[in-house]
């Protein structure tokens, strides 16, 4: 390690130590903290965040990284320098004043939105959202000028390094054209099948035992992580200690179980990141889309497959004293319904929710869509994509998500990038390992995790997304595998 | 607020924000963290601690505090400056190199001690302890020279600002002379009473419910705190969020209950500190002795009294389906036994354990006692104070406590200062409120908490310990009240 590189290495390691507490503070806030702790925690988090921001924007960093890049360092160290530079420039782009204004507006908007959404109060919400969107535009503009790209691309860059609107349009084009028809075919097909919804009362303690069993089957290491309860499931953590949360609903075990499996996918990626690179930018997850690909691989590719449901059928039946057949479970876990709510959507209709938001975001940022026209835009697109109306029902329309209230634009595409990536990974994996269903029913599920570990997790950010996909699957991301998968599972 | 004072105020507020995470990191480590998180947590805590240390020793601080002290500021701000100066000088006194050497030696000593104690392995332990004590002497010497006091007084100063060996000798003198005889009288008296130990199997879930009920009775605010389980009970927290832990033993509910009540006393002090001074040195607890006084007031003065046991008797009986009489509970919770273990000691014999350690610490620091002679010293003093031998049983003698393994000398006196303070507070309170037993049986327990809140808690560190005691009880700390209390309760 050169002296120059060593200095940078140690600095980023120190940053990761402060991020450790950022992470812990957030987790505790969502799972353990009593209400009385809110004010103290938010003040402490603000000080910590600004300290981390200062560390990422110290004067000497950019020059030092540039100098280290001139040295002849091993490829992995060079990759680490690239990621350091990305962090530094991402942190330096936006003036502190704008960051503070954004945080303040987002806090007020989100806080009021909790009630406004319940009350379907678009008129109350619109002015707050307008303020947040204006600041997001300002941020996008500043980032765009600094990076020499378009404003919306500059927002994408925060979550998906290297991704552009043009690439997304290309990737999403087949979904746009084929999905509405495909959904109709699936719905028609399933209309002829028996109603198999798994209704009843499901003891939440038994649900938790089941969750832990399934997590263990998915190789989650409880010596290196935890499962807890929070109002919205999430995953987070630090090296050696990756934590996920879930929620239990007495009337519905299946959505809780699938959400636990989803978060387990996120967690396994984090648990599998390269230990030699802990605390370094190159040791982190590649992108948000890649992160979603792991959670969706677990939830969609694995957990809703016949092979996997066969593995957990006995556990489910034991937990609740039922006698579901494999057929019943399969039907229930692959049921397709057109609905208004993104987070409740199945994997076939889900991309429609993303296409709608992607189009809206682009237009909100380039100014061609005004916030006041959002309800109409939403309704028109929902009609076209899913044949559903949100007229007068904004709480289940353009007010349903938390992302925009927080000023977070540019994130939504990551969900569908994740679904596409998961499908592509699965086909690549099957070329090498054979049918995953067979593998699972033969008790060889660990080979799946070993493949992910060797080809995705242990790579961290040591390669670009394109390089990572090429090294893992033989080609860069292509949209077609998701459609192939959906047709195979739902129409096959 | 003057500009000079404001700058200091904001700096210490920022320090408190980093201390927030130090606190959370420790709590999580003891209650929630899986084993796999150890390495990452300890690295992150080290970075955080050294950052806090740097903030407390920044070059400009001492001069700035001195300048602010010249301004004509309100008394409370002046008190805050005094506490700031204390923090800065305490942090600056010891060179970073010595701190690091101490941390390293303590870690190794404590780690090995866990096994060595179990195995009664004095020969293995002695060299490690010698290393730790040598560093403690070095620290004491450096502190002593800087402060112009004796080395042991310099260690006392860390925990009890203003306390000296001479004052302690004076305070402890009546205990030294009267306690052995008093213990004999109590033991003789209790020998004639029926054996009332509360034996049986006690469901731990029922114990937890009981603990929460009793905490609520003690006005613990669960909206501003938590109860959890850890292997050693402790209390900690941040403004608005004070957390305690306990442990449950199926064979013995009473020690767990009393330990929960003890920690509740610590927590109520923290919950009652002045909110206007949150994050400022003057807003913190006055001293470790004052902290112990609150936990001991709760555990000894309140919880083992007839009035309080009367309040919780039904809850205890309901919890375990027993039918203990008030007499039975009272006998059991005030049973006196000479024993070898400090943490298991009753309030009558406890000060003997402290006198022994106080004498040993002084001698270890001034060099008149060598580590190799500690077992003999211990045995001789235990014989004299409690008539018990530790010959060949060092694990229950000089190896029983964690304090010295961590290099923490000068803390033990705080326990007995706390017991004395609690007794003095109780008599002062009774002068104003009348008998606490009567108050409690009349359903007026809250008046006790109101008194503590108004006279102790809300004062934080805005006064010196002597001023605080004088304002609350009409006189500085006197040793006699503890003896009066013990005679009244155990021989009355």
């Amino acid at each position: 390690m050169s002296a120059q590189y060593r200095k940078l290495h140690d600095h980023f390691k120190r940053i990761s130590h402060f991020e450790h507490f950022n992470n812990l503070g957030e987790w505790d806030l969502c799972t353990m903290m009593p209400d009385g702790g809110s004010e103290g925690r938010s003040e402490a988090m603000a000080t910590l965040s600004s300290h981390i921001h200062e560390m990422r924007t110290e004067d000497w960093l950019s020059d030092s990284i540039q100098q280290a890049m001139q040295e002849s360092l091993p490829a992995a160290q060079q990759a680490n320098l690239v990621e350091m530079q990305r962090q530094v420039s991402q942190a330096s782009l936006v003036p502190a004043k704008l960051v503070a204004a954004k945080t303040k507006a987002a806090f007020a908007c989100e806080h009021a939105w909790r009630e406004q959404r319940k009350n379907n109060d678009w008129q109350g919400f619109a002015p707050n959202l307008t303020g947040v969107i204006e600041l997001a535009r300002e941020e996008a503009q500043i980032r765009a000028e600094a990076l020499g790209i378009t404003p919306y691309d500059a927002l994408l860059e925060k979550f998906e390094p290297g991704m552009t609107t043009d690439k997304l349009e290309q990737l999403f084009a087949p979904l746009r054209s084929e999905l509405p028809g495909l959904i109709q075919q699936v719905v028609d097909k399933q209309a002829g099948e028996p109603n198999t919804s798994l209704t009843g009362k499901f003891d939440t303690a038994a649900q938790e035992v089941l969750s832990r069993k399934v997590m263990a089957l998915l190789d989650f290491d409880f010596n290196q992580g935890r499962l807890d309860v929070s109002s919205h499931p999430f995953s987070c953590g630090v090296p050696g200690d990756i934590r996920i949360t879930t929620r239990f609903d007495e009337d519905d075990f299946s959505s809780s179980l699938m959400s636990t499996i989803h978060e387990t996918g996120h967690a396994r990626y984090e648990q599998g990141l390269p230990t030699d690179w802990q605390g370094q930018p190159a040791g982190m997850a590649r992108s948000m889309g890649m992160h979603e690909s792991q959670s969706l691989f677990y939830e969609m590719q694995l957990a809703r497959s016949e092979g996997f449901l066969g593995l957990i059928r006995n556990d489910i039946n034991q937990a609740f004293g039922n006698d579901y057949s494999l057929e019943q479970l399969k039907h229930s876990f692959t049921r397709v319904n057109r609905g208004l709510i993104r987070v409740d959507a199945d994997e076939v209709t889900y991309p429609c929710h993303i296409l709608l938001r992607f189009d809206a975001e682009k237009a909100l940022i380039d100014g061609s869509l005004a916030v006041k026209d959002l309800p109409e835009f939403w309704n028109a697109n929902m009609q076209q994509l899913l044949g559903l109306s949100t007229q007068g029902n904004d709480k289940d329309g353009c007010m349903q998500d938390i992302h925009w209230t927080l000023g977070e634009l540019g994130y939504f595409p990551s969900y569908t990038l994740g679904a596409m990536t998961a499908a592509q990974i699965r086909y690549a994996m099957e070329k090498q390992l054979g049918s995953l269903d067979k593998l699972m029913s033969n008790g060889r599920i660990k080979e799946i995790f070993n493949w992910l570990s060797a080809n995705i997790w242990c790579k961290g950010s040591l390669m670009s997304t394109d390089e990572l996909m090429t090294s893992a699957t033989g080609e860069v991301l292509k949209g077609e595998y998701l459609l192939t998968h959906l047709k195979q599972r739902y129409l096959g």
Side-chain angles (χ1 to χ4, degrees), chain A:
Chain A
M1 229 181 257
S2 74
Q4 185 83 258
Y5 179 85
R6 159 70 70 188
K7 193 178 166 200
L8 289 161
H9 174 277
D10 292 351
H11 185 71
F12 279 87
K13 186 90 183 173
R14 275 172 60 87
I15 293 178
S16 81
H17 293 157
F18 290 101
E19 287 283 15
H20 180 115
F21 293 104
N22 204 354
N23 206 304
L24 179 62
E26 279 287 351
W27 173 83
D28 183 82
L29 187 150
C30 297
T31 54
M32 298 289 157
M33 191 185 80
D35 285 351
S38 299
E39 197 183 324
R41 179 64 48 86
S42 91
E43 282 179 14
M45 298 279 287
T47 297
L48 182 63
S49 298
S50 93
H51 179 66
I52 292 170
H53 186 263
E54 281 162 20
M55 288 184 80
R56 282 221 179 87
T57 53
E58 284 180 21
D59 285 343
W60 60 280
L61 278 172
S62 269
D63 283 354
S64 178
I65 293 170
Q66 291 311 317
Q67 283 164 29
M69 280 175 166
Q70 305 309 314
E71 300 176 337
S72 53
L73 300 175
Q77 293 185 9
Q78 287 180 30
N80 198 23
L81 290 170
V82 169
E83 297 306 316
M84 286 177 182
Q85 184 55 53
R86 188 190 317 283
Q87 284 198 8
V88 170
S89 71
Q90 286 288 329
S92 314
L93 285 177
V94 186
K97 213 174 142 187
L98 179 56
V99 172
K102 274 193 65 186
T103 305
K104 201 177 155 191
F107 183 84
C109 182
E110 192 267 337
H111 193 76
W113 164 78
R114 294 185 202 182
E115 283 304 306
Q116 286 162 344
R117 188 193 169 196
K118 280 185 208 154
N119 304 327
N120 196 33
D121 177 13
W122 169 254
Q123 293 308 326
F125 179 59
N128 292 346
L129 184 62
T130 303
V132 170
I133 297 290
E134 273 166 12
L135 292 168
R137 272 184 206 153
E138 198 179 328
E139 180 198 347
Q141 195 60 44
I142 290 171
R143 288 179 179 274
E145 277 165 27
L147 299 171
I149 54 181
T150 71
Y152 187 69
D153 284 0
L155 295 180
L156 290 175
E157 184 70 19
K158 289 163 70 177
F159 310 108
E160 300 297 327
M163 184 49 68
T164 66
T165 307
D166 284 351
K167 281 193 206 170
L168 277 180
E169 293 287 13
Q170 262 184 300
L171 286 165
F172 288 174
L175 292 173
R176 263 190 219 283
S177 57
E178 292 196 39
L179 216 45
L182 176 62
I183 292 167
Q184 189 57 51
Q185 280 180 280
V186 175
V187 168
D188 290 345
K189 177 166 183 271
Q190 293 191 345
E193 293 166 359
N195 187 335
T196 53
S197 64
L198 311 172
T199 53
K201 287 281 174 196
F202 306 95
D203 179 58
T204 56
Q207 288 191 49
E208 187 176 338
V209 172
L210 175 64
S211 285
R212 288 177 190 276
K213 264 192 197 170
V214 174
M215 287 169 72
L217 174 66
L218 292 168
D219 235 14
F220 182 92
D221 181 351
F222 281 98
N223 191 39
Q224 304 221 21
R226 293 179 54 92
L227 170 69
D228 294 277
V229 168
S230 68
S231 58
H232 296 280
F234 66 95
S235 69
C236 69
V238 292
D241 180 7
I242 304 298
R243 305 181 182 189
I244 71 168
T245 69
T246 191
R247 54 185 163 193
F248 299 111
D249 178 352
E250 221 189 19
D251 296 316
D252 175 17
F253 78 90
S254 57
S255 65
S256 154
L257 180 61
M258 284 298 145
S259 137
T260 304
I261 293 171
H262 181 98
E263 299 305 331
T264 301
H266 282 303
R268 296 284 286 125
Y269 187 11
E270 291 284 329
Q271 286 180 337
L273 288 170
T275 46
D276 288 353
W277 290 91
Q278 270 174 9
Q280 295 301 312
M284 291 167 190
R286 180 60 277 183
S287 72
M288 295 321 296
M290 194 56 72
H291 231 308
E292 291 298 336
S293 82
Q294 298 309 292
S295 54
L296 291 171
F297 186 90
Y298 272 64
E299 184 194 344
M300 300 302 178
Q301 300 296 334
L302 286 191
R304 294 177 197 268
S305 72
E306 193 166 329
F308 191 81
L309 292 170
L311 290 182
I312 64 171
R313 187 171 78 92
N314 280 343
D315 291 331
I316 292 176
N317 284 332
Q318 251 177 34
F320 310 117
N322 285 314
D323 189 22
Y324 298 128
S325 68
L326 180 56
E327 203 62 10
Q328 240 177 318
L329 291 178
K330 211 182 90 182
H331 279 271
S332 168
F333 281 110
T334 54
R335 190 78 187 175
V336 172
N337 285 305
R338 292 188 185 98
L340 294 174
I341 306 299
R342 175 183 61 85
V343 295
D344 295 337
D346 54 79
E347 63 176 328
V348 185
T349 57
Y350 200 103
C352 294
H353 295 274
I354 297 306
L355 290 172
L356 162 59
R357 287 157 176 80
F358 170 52
D359 291 341
E361 283 187 342
K362 280 182 302 179
L364 286 167
I365 290 298
D366 73 21
S368 61
L369 176 63
V371 167
K372 73 171 170 46
D373 300 325
L374 191 55
E376 203 188 309
F377 179 95
W378 200 277
N379 182 45
N381 279 270
M382 276 305 274
Q383 294 274 10
Q384 196 192 325
L385 286 159
L386 289 172
L388 299 171
S389 163
T390 57
Q391 185 98 49
N393 181 17
D394 297 318
K395 75 176 194 303
D396 296 332
C398 64
M399 288 178 75
Q400 71 182 269
D401 297 307
I402 197 172
H403 302 59
W404 292 346
T405 73
L406 296 172
E408 211 169 72
L409 283 82
Y411 189 94
F412 281 122
S414 298
Y415 293 113
T416 293
L417 287 173
M420 289 174 160
T421 303
Q424 182 164 332
I425 285 174
R426 178 254 181 123
Y427 285 105
M429 199 187 284
E430 289 198 325
K431 264 191 207 158
Q432 291 173 35
L433 303 182
S435 149
L436 299 192
D437 272 331
K438 270 205 193 134
L439 219 53
M440 286 189 273
S441 50
N442 291 336
R444 290 164 57 196
I445 193 171
K446 290 219 177 186
E447 291 178 34
I448 297 172
F449 311 137
N450 292 344
W451 193 99
L452 290 171
S453 172
N455 290 285
I456 307 284
W457 305 339
C458 81
K459 306 294 187 189
S461 288
L462 289 160
M463 303 173 177
S464 72
T465 308
D466 279 354
E467 287 166 350
L468 179 57
M469 283 303 281
T470 306
S471 112
T473 72
E475 52 194 338
V476 298
L477 182 63
K478 299 221 165 133
E480 66 198 62
Y481 292 104
L482 178 57
L483 278 168
T484 308
H485 157 68
L486 295 177
K487 287 176 195 165
Q488 191 181 347
R489 175 174 285 173
Y490 292 90
L491 297 176

